[in-house]
Amino acid sequence: MFTGIVQGQGTVTTLRVAGDGDGARLEVAAPWLVGGLDLGDSVAVNGCCLTVTKLTGAGFAADVVAETLRRTALGRLTAGERVNLEQPVAVGGRLGGHLVQGHVDGLGRVLDRTPVGGRPEGSGEPQGGAPESPEGSGEPQGGAPESVELRLGIDPALARYVVVKGSVALDGVSLTVTAVGPDWFSVALVPHTLAVTTLGARLPGDEVQLEVDVLAKYVERLLAPWTHPQAEQAGGRRT
């Protein structure tokens, strides 16, 4: 279980996808994680929970199964690309974001990127990406970018789980929803989030990995016998 508070970034070293698309091996360089990982540990990579299958001198490797390749954008990562990383939250640790399983539900696409206050993008001040900073330091360097609002397109089948003031994970980042539509929603990104996660570089047209709040899905399933009685399993009984 994760909380959507990105601990740092890593750099894709290699991605080897099987010829039949039945899986892949992803290697990520993250020197700040060296010494803090063991074989079999879980790591969220852009919000997708992966198992460490190999420790390298500079990071780790993980296997990506076919189902994960179908539901996420991990299969389109390229060498040198930056990814958000988070280790599981420890029992008793701070739940700084919200409950994130690391099970990506689908992909969203950035529709708009709008500055919120301060200087508009293109004014000559840092915008659109994270300034250089020590990996995993969590501190922006060279001046923080302005806040922005992202509007993202989403599959209507997932949109019903997204509500204003609710939580959503984008590329593993826990965010609060500011507005919703039938097939879109918006989130606001503060300068710190822009600086220390890959969302600072997301532009219109870019894909993001999306996980909706699992609590909404549980509620829907529990209410299904009353809201959609025809879908109740044969032999089931209301209590």
Side-chain angles (χ1 to χ4, degrees), residues 50 52 56 65 68 76 97 137 140 202 213 238-239:
L50 299 177
V52 175
T56 66
V65 300
T68 301
R76 293 186 284 282
S137 69
R202 293 290 180 254
D213 192 343
R238 302 178 189 175
T239 58

Side-chain angles (χ1 to χ4, degrees), residues 92-109:
R94 292 184 178 181
L95 189 64
H98 70 285
L99 294 177
V100 178
Q101 293 182 296
H103 300 162
V104 174
D105 290 300
L107 298 174
R109 190 174 298 276

Side-chain angles (χ1 to χ4, degrees), residues 180-201:
V180 298
D183 58 358
W184 62 268
F185 68 93
S186 296
V187 295
L189 305 178
V190 298
H192 180 78
T193 302
L194 292 167
V196 301
T197 76
T198 61
L199 295 182

Side-chain angles (χ1 to χ4, degrees), residues 60-182:
F60 65 94
D63 294 328
V64 185
V65 300
E67 168 68 5
T68 301
L69 291 175
R70 284 192 294 269
R71 284 186 177 267
T72 74
L74 294 184
R76 293 186 284 282
L77 290 173
T78 57
E81 192 166 347
R82 304 281 282 176
V83 291
N84 296 323
L85 300 175
E86 182 189 357
Q87 293 177 280
V89 62
V91 175
R94 292 184 178 181
L95 189 64
H98 70 285
L99 294 177
V100 178
Q101 293 182 296
H103 300 162
V104 174
D105 290 300
L107 298 174
R109 190 174 298 276
V110 178
L111 301 176
D112 305 303
R113 178 186 172 112
T114 306
V116 180
R119 292 172 292 271
E121 294 188 336
S123 66
E125 296 299 324
Q127 289 289 337
E132 290 298 322
S133 61
E135 289 193 342
S137 69
E139 293 300 329
Q141 300 292 323
E146 303 299 329
S147 297
V148 302
E149 183 176 79
L150 291 184
R151 190 169 70 93
L152 300 105
I154 184 176
D155 185 337
L158 290 176
R160 68 179 184 270
Y161 302 118
V162 181
V163 298
V164 173
K165 303 302 181 183
S167 297
V168 66
L170 297 181
D171 278 349
V173 182
S174 175
L175 297 167
T176 301
V177 178
T178 59
V180 298

